[in-house]
Amino acid sequence: MNYRHIYHAGNFADVLKHAVLARLVVYMAQKDKAFRVLDTHAGIGLYDLSSEEAQKTGEWRDGIGRILGTDIPAKAKAILEPYLTAVRDLNPDGGLTLYPGSPKLTRMLMRPQDRLSAMELHPDDYETLHRLFDGDFQSRITELDGWLALGAHLPPKEKRGIVLVDPPFEIAGEYERLVDGLAKAWRRFSGGTFCLWYPLKQGAPIKEFHEALKALEIPKMLCAELSVRSERDTTGLSGTGLIIVNPPFTLKEELDVVLPFLKDRLKQDRHASARTFWLRGEETIERD
């Protein structure tokens, strides 16, 4: 995959990832205590869908373009509202030109006491991200390999937080790096909520990836997957997955509502599917 994210901003994978991220931030904000969001592969933060790069692929048209400004069943609409409100707020004149990456979306949902730490290694993307948040004292933008942040930047001083790990999957071994990175981060910040993104595509070692995660014996791991087309008919992305460690106790129920809607709205062929299941444990109590 070409993972300069401007080519993929607002696609079906972003819809699921950002909808879940918004729910995690909203849940954290239910308590007065401050929290921090650590975004390990932050990108440029804000995407112009009218740009040459975004228009070249047009992936957003089969993602957020099928959601925003359309009729949504009431239960799914309520769950998606924090995410969709952020997108609408960036496009006050209607239509869809600007799309928030994960750091921008997070920042739009944070309270004055909360903090964002965003890492980006690509020099040009770092500069763009840094300019976007210039002067924002609640945000710290660092030019750094996000994998290193899982050791050096955890635990946060707030002792509450979300860690989003959204690697580019440009090189072999990224599934294994996700497992190793989670193991390292969990040892340092076992009370945090982690959200790990991974692609579904032809030949991806998903079964082995899930087994390796289960072998970590982390008590609470929820998995959500959305496939929009058959992987047999494409060498590109056919679906998207998330692993959520220490999920809010409401998230499984919310995903059981939202994922069927997203499957029906975003499907590209008859092989579309969606599932939510526990890799380990079942959350029944609220976490601090």
Side-chain angles (χ1 to χ4, degrees), residues 166-178:
D166 179 18
F169 280 84
E170 291 177 320
I171 60 176
E174 294 284 66
Y175 293 94
E176 292 81 1
R177 291 186 79 182
L178 264 184

Side-chain angles (χ1 to χ4, degrees), residues 89-103:
D89 286 349
L90 289 172
N91 299 275
D93 296 329
L96 182 57
T97 301
L98 295 178
Y99 183 82
S102 50

Side-chain angles (χ1 to χ4, degrees), residues 11-182:
N11 70 359
F12 69 86
D14 268 2
V15 170
L16 177 59
K17 176 177 59 184
H18 292 153
V20 169
L21 176 61
R23 297 309 302 172
L24 296 179
V25 174
V26 167
Y27 180 83
M28 280 280 174
Q30 290 178 1
K31 293 189 175 182
D32 290 337
K33 291 187 294 184
F35 63 87
R36 183 175 295 269
V37 176
L38 175 63
D39 191 336
T40 64
H41 298 76
I44 65 173
L46 185 63
Y47 298 91
D48 181 356
L49 300 181
S50 68
S51 68
E52 180 180 351
E53 295 90 346
Q55 290 292 320
K56 183 176 181 180
T57 61
E59 290 186 17
W60 61 271
R61 294 188 181 91
D62 286 328
I64 187 61
R66 293 191 185 186
I67 305 292
L68 197 68
T70 65
D71 291 332
I72 303 174
K75 289 184 178 180
K77 183 178 181 180
I79 296 166
L80 292 170
E81 195 59 28
Y83 162 54
L84 296 181
T85 295
V87 178
R88 285 194 294 265
D89 286 349
L90 289 172
N91 299 275
D93 296 329
L96 182 57
T97 301
L98 295 178
Y99 183 82
S102 50
K104 180 64 174 179
L105 174 63
T106 296
R107 186 64 186 87
M108 294 176 75
L109 295 172
M110 280 167 42
R111 306 162 303 172
Q113 65 266 43
D114 305 322
R115 297 292 183 267
L116 168 68
S117 293
M119 315 298 159
E120 177 53 48
L121 182 60
H122 191 285
D124 293 341
D125 289 356
Y126 163 75
E127 289 296 336
T128 302
L129 183 67
H130 189 268
R131 287 195 300 270
L132 179 66
F133 287 98
D134 187 32
D136 181 1
F137 74 93
Q138 289 182 243
S139 302
R140 180 180 180 184
I141 312 302
T142 306
E143 187 174 5
L144 181 71
D145 183 343
W147 295 111
L148 300 177
L150 295 177
H153 290 258
L154 293 176
K157 66 179 183 179
E158 293 82 4
K159 306 303 181 186
R160 301 181 69 226
I162 301 163
V163 180
L164 175 65
V165 187
D166 179 18
F169 280 84
E170 291 177 320
I171 60 176
E174 294 284 66
Y175 293 94
E176 292 81 1
R177 291 186 79 182
L178 264 184
V179 175
D180 293 342
L182 176 59

